[in-house]
Amino acid sequence: MDFPAYLATMPMHAITEIHGEPGLLERFRLEIRAFDAAARERLTAALDLAADLHRDDRRVREPYLNHLLRVAIRMMHHYQVRDVDVIVAGLLHDAVEDHPVELAGLDPLRRLRPGTSDAARGPGAVGDDPTAAALAVLADRFGPRVARLVGAVTNPPYDPGRDRHVQYREHVAASLDREPWARVIKVSDFTDNGVGVIHTVGPKVARSAAKYRPLVPVFRNLIARPDTPLSAPVKRHIFAQLDLAEERFSAILDPN
């Protein structure tokens, strides 16, 4: 497929609308040219794993991989991130939350009682915590730092007796407080979901706006912190994106 010479300057949602997943994949390849061969190999391996795990997943009108590509491209292009671990974690940020059993290569039918020894479990059995098993696989494949970053942006099980959105906000604030680089991943994810809310359709528009709107001040405070490892111009860019997200949330939720 032929792509325009200006693909590297196009807004990502414009690439999505016009060229779809192939266009985003080409944009990703253009971005990783700035890295050395070893880094490109790691980034490509992470992309391949994300594509395999999310191969059947959809986000309303598009393959789920599009979202992961935009999160990674945004970090490289707009946030000027050159830390390969962070970009790998961005590509895989939903892998453990959405596909822990598949990622860990476990058998969901062989659930054993708590306290069963590792030897008794045998290969391919789901133990007490598929999330921990999946994070261990990421640590083995991409290193413990990648696993730690993915773990920081992975939602824990929710208490069914409490509001899910409140628990989500509490988790985001607490988890990102401890992991400055995880803030970078999560704010790229938030930007794709929040600023990009106008690119979705149906009832999900209002649901997403209600879920994400209270996070705008949370992210503003986290990004403003001195230990957030981004330059001042990048932080200003993110603040502008947060302003745009709030403007769109208001248009959706406060039409009058």
Side-chain angles (χ1 to χ4, degrees):
M1 182 181 293
D2 293 329
F3 298 103
Y6 51 83
L7 185 77
T9 67
M10 289 178 66
M12 279 176 286
H13 281 285
I15 296 175
T16 304
E17 293 295 330
I18 298 170
H19 302 293
E21 183 180 315
L24 289 169
L25 286 167
E26 180 62 20
R27 175 64 180 271
F28 179 82
R29 295 186 190 104
L30 292 173
E31 293 291 340
I32 68 173
R33 289 191 307 186
F35 296 83
D36 63 30
R40 291 196 302 271
E41 184 176 352
R42 288 189 75 215
L43 291 165
T44 301
L47 174 62
D48 289 345
L49 177 57
D52 182 50
L53 290 170
H54 296 279
R55 60 190 176 276
D56 298 321
D57 297 345
R58 303 283 301 179
R59 273 171 59 99
V60 186
R61 298 181 298 153
E62 62 176 343
Y64 199 84
L65 185 64
N66 287 3
H67 166 64
L68 306 175
L69 284 164
R70 290 192 297 263
V71 167
I73 294 166
R74 183 177 295 105
M75 288 194 294
M76 290 186 283
H77 185 79
H78 292 294
Y79 302 174
Q80 296 297 296
V81 173
R82 291 297 178 264
D83 188 321
V84 177
D85 282 350
V86 176
I87 303 164
V88 166
L91 287 166
L92 296 168
H93 77 270
D94 281 330
V96 171
E97 185 173 316
D98 294 346
H99 297 285
V101 170
E102 187 177 0
L103 175 57
L106 300 173
D107 181 353
L109 300 179
R110 296 177 58 197
R111 297 183 181 275
L112 304 180
R113 293 190 302 275
T116 303
S117 69
D118 291 341
R121 294 179 189 280
V126 172
D128 303 331
D129 191 352
T131 296
L135 288 170
V137 168
L138 287 187
D140 182 61
R141 292 192 187 183
F142 297 102
R145 183 165 175 252
V146 167
R148 190 178 76 244
L149 290 170
V150 172
V153 297
T154 297
N155 291 333
Y158 290 129
D159 178 351
R162 298 182 60 217
D163 184 274
R164 287 176 61 88
H165 291 176
V166 171
Q167 292 179 79
Y168 174 69
R169 293 194 293 272
E170 290 174 350
H171 164 70
V172 167
S175 182
L176 300 188
D177 177 70
R178 301 186 295 268
E179 288 285 354
W181 274 114
R183 298 171 203 161
V184 177
I185 297 168
K186 195 64 179 177
V187 79
S188 183
D189 176 45
F190 175 83
T191 298
D192 205 60
N193 292 322
V195 177
V197 70
I198 61 170
H199 296 280
T200 192
V201 294
K204 187 178 179 181
V205 175
R207 289 200 307 268
S208 295
K211 174 183 178 180
Y212 293 123
R213 188 182 199 179
L215 282 170
V216 171
V218 174
F219 279 111
R220 193 179 301 278
N221 290 335
L222 286 168
I223 296 302
R225 285 173 48 164
D227 64 334
T228 298
L230 296 170
S231 69
V234 168
K235 289 186 177 185
R236 288 195 294 271
H237 167 80
I238 292 173
F239 294 147
Q241 290 291 287
L242 293 174
D243 289 342
L244 181 57
E246 173 57 34
E247 179 182 316
R248 291 178 175 177
F249 295 150
S250 178
I252 293 165
L253 299 173
D254 310 321
N256 297 321

